[in-house]
């Protein structure tokens, strides 16, 4: 169940635009994602507040909401907010919040905006670590609202024309006197459009606009990280009544890699090394994320967990020519499936080993003795 927009903004149903705005600003400040990083509840609240204010600040939308409730917007919202792997979501009108704040802080002189700015959209794009390394040009499909081709945006069946609304004489607004005041509000009969459509176009059901996928190229630069946002200015939802389009935010997520683990700009890779190589020294070949190979020299007596750094073989740093490093961690492997002969050789090896052959085990044993004796004063 969706909360009532007035409840969301903690206002009465008849609240003036000023009251709504004051309350909206207070709540938007309180629940803004920048102030509540990682708090999903606050983020949800922030979206709710934005959505409620977006509707109630607008005469036309408010009139529609007062009359039809949430149902007034469901057709439009459901198309995008639906589940089922749809990567789209409303990002909330971030810029709107800040424009409002700054407009006021700068001491008035607000630019008068024609119409309503379209909503910001969010697109979740998942890329591989290789893509994050090299950068990539991704083609995405963005659903947008375009004028209906059948009726050329009029909303009426071809051959019919929308009629002028008789309630408001085509003004879209009606006046009502209440005591000393004359209140102008959006006309309910035509929902503020000034026109009545008697024969709705079958293609767009009278809306005058249809949803269409648009292909967009997104340039993902090398070095992006989980959560990096790319803003495509003006590629969000179309504005209403001649207003500018919203922005499209690409939210990136980087998939796990089977070989490399990322730590900011550095990469980590575990390289299994045979115990013979670890004991006698040698070299191992390791992969690099650019698809190449690198040789790492293993010194005599290398232990498990020892790290070797390959400078500048890590991730590129976003918008810079710098590179992180690649760390290779040695993992000494205990051999399995030994033949009888191999086992004999190992037993021979064991009997021949002297003090200092296994420094860690010897050190551990020494510490154990101390611990047990220390715990028992006898
Ligand atoms: Zn149409
Ligand atoms: Zn009307």
């Amino acid at each position: 169940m969706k909360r009532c927009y007035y409840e969301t903004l903690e206002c009465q149903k008849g609240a003036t635009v000023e009251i709504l705005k004051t309350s909206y600003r207070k709540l938007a400040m309180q629940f803004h994602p920048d102030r509540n990083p990682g708090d999903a509840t606050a983020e949800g609240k922030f979206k709710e507040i934005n959505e409620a204010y977006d509707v109630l600040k607008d005469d036309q939308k408010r009139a529609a909401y007062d009359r039809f409730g949430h149902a007034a917007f469901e057709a439009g919202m459901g198309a995008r907010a639906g589940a089922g792997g749809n990567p789209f979501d409303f990002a909330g009108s971030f810029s709107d919040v800040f424009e409002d704040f700054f407009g006021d802080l700068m001491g008035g002189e607000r630019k008068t905006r024609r119409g309503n700015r379209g909503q910001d959209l969010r697109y979740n794009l998942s890329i591989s670590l290789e893509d994050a390394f090299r950068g990539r040009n991704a083609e995405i499909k963005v659903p947008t609202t375009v004028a209906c081709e059948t009726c050329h945006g009029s909303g009426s069946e071809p051959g019919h024309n929308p009629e002028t609304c008789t309630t408001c004489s085509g003004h879209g607004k009606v006046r009502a006197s209440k005591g000393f005041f004359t209140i102008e509000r959006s006309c309910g009969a035509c929902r503020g459009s000034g026109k009545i459509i008697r024969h709705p176009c079958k293609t767009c059901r009278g809306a005058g606009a249809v949803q269409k996928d648009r292909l967009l190229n997104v340039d993902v630069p090398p070095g992006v990280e989980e959560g990096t946002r790319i803003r495509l200015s003006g590629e969000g939802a179309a504005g209403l009544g001649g207003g500018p389009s919203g922005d499209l935010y690409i939210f990136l997520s980087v998939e796990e890699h089977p070989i490399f683990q990322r730590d900011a700009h550095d990469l980590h890779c575990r390289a299994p090394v045979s115990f013979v190589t670890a004991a006698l020294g040698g070299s191992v070949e390791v992969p690099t994320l650019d698809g190449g190979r690198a040789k790492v020299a293993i010194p005599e007596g290398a232990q498990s967990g020892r790290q070797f750094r390959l400078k500048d073989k890590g991730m590129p740093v976003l918008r810079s020519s710098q590179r992180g490093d690649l760390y290779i961690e040695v993992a000494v492997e205990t051999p399995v499936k030994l033949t009888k002969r191999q086992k004999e050789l190992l037993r021979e090896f064991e009997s021949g080993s002297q003090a200092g052959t296994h420094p860690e085990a010897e050190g551990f044993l020494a510490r154990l003795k101390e611990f047990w004796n220390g715990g028992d004063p006898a």
Side-chain angles (χ1 to χ4, degrees), residues 148 150-151 155 201 203-204 208:
C148 170
T150 313
C151 62
C201 161
T203 311
C204 62

Side-chain angles (χ1 to χ4, degrees), residues 60 97 117-118 126 151 177 186-187 189 196 215 228 287 323 350 358 370 373:
Q60 285 190 24
V97 179
R117 187 177 174 278
S126 181
C151 62
S177 292
S186 188
C187 171
I196 300 281
L215 283 179
T228 299
R323 288 271 295 267
E350 179 85 336
H358 296 105
E370 226 177 79
N373 291 339

Side-chain angles (χ1 to χ4, degrees), residues 24 45-55 92-93 97:
Y24 162 70
K45 271 233 150 134
F46 182 71
K47 275 190 194 170
E48 269 187 14
I49 295 159
N50 267 296
E51 191 188 311
Y53 183 63
D54 198 50
V55 167
S93 305
V97 179

Side-chain angles (χ1 to χ4, degrees), residues 272-284 296-302 330 332-333:
V273 172
S274 81
F275 86 130
V276 176
T277 304
L280 303 178
S283 71
V284 284
V296 177
I298 305 292
E300 203 179 295
V330 168
V332 178
E333 189 174 32

Side-chain angles (χ1 to χ4, degrees), residues 172-378:
K173 291 197 164 140
V174 285
R175 291 179 170 209
S177 292
K178 242 189 192 174
F180 297 110
F181 303 101
T182 302
I183 300 164
E184 198 181 58
R185 53 163 56 221
S186 188
C187 171
C190 61
R191 289 212 211 169
S193 70
K195 294 204 170 9
I196 300 281
I197 294 168
R198 300 246 180 257
H199 305 274
C201 161
K202 289 194 179 68
T203 311
C204 62
R205 290 195 219 106
V210 288
Q211 289 253 319
K212 210 173 183 182
D213 280 346
R214 199 163 38 114
L215 283 179
L216 266 185
N217 273 307
V218 185
D219 202 24
V220 179
V224 292
E225 287 173 65
E226 180 75 27
T228 299
R229 283 199 312 197
I230 299 173
R231 188 176 72 131
L232 299 182
S233 177
E235 301 287 5
L240 293 170
S245 295
D247 297 332
L248 174 64
Y249 288 89
I250 312 286
F251 279 59
L252 292 171
S253 64
V254 181
E255 291 154 16
E256 298 263 309
H257 196 277
I259 295 173
F260 298 101
Q261 283 80 49
R262 183 181 190 172
D263 176 19
H265 309 308
D266 295 331
L267 289 171
H268 292 261
C269 170
R270 244 168 77 94
V273 172
S274 81
F275 86 130
V276 176
T277 304
L280 303 178
S283 71
V284 284
E285 211 171 45
V286 293
T288 52
L289 195 49
D290 58 13
R293 293 149 194 245
K295 248 190 184 159
V296 177
I298 305 292
E300 203 179 295
Q303 302 292 349
S304 241
R306 182 150 172 196
Q307 288 198 340
F308 297 93
R309 185 173 74 142
L310 298 177
K311 205 172 160 10
D312 297 333
K313 291 282 181 196
M315 293 297 287
V317 179
L318 193 62
R319 295 183 219 297
S320 135
S321 57
Q322 281 174 302
R323 288 271 295 267
D325 302 326
L326 169 60
Y327 288 90
I328 305 293
E329 186 188 320
V330 168
V332 178
E333 189 174 32
T334 306
V336 292
K337 290 186 182 166
L338 298 175
T339 62
K340 219 177 138 197
R341 169 86 182 122
Q342 281 173 321
K343 285 180 186 171
E344 271 171 29
L345 284 170
L346 282 179
R347 281 195 197 95
E348 200 179 310
F349 159 77
E350 179 85 336
S351 63
S353 58
Q354 65 237 346
T357 301
H358 296 105
E360 195 169 333
E362 287 163 26
F364 181 64
L365 262 177
R367 281 197 299 279
L368 273 187
K369 265 183 201 154
E370 226 177 79
F371 171 70
W372 280 325
N373 291 339
D376 180 7

Side-chain angles (χ1 to χ4, degrees), residues 165 167-168 172 187 189-190 194:
C165 172
T167 311
C168 62
C187 171
C190 61

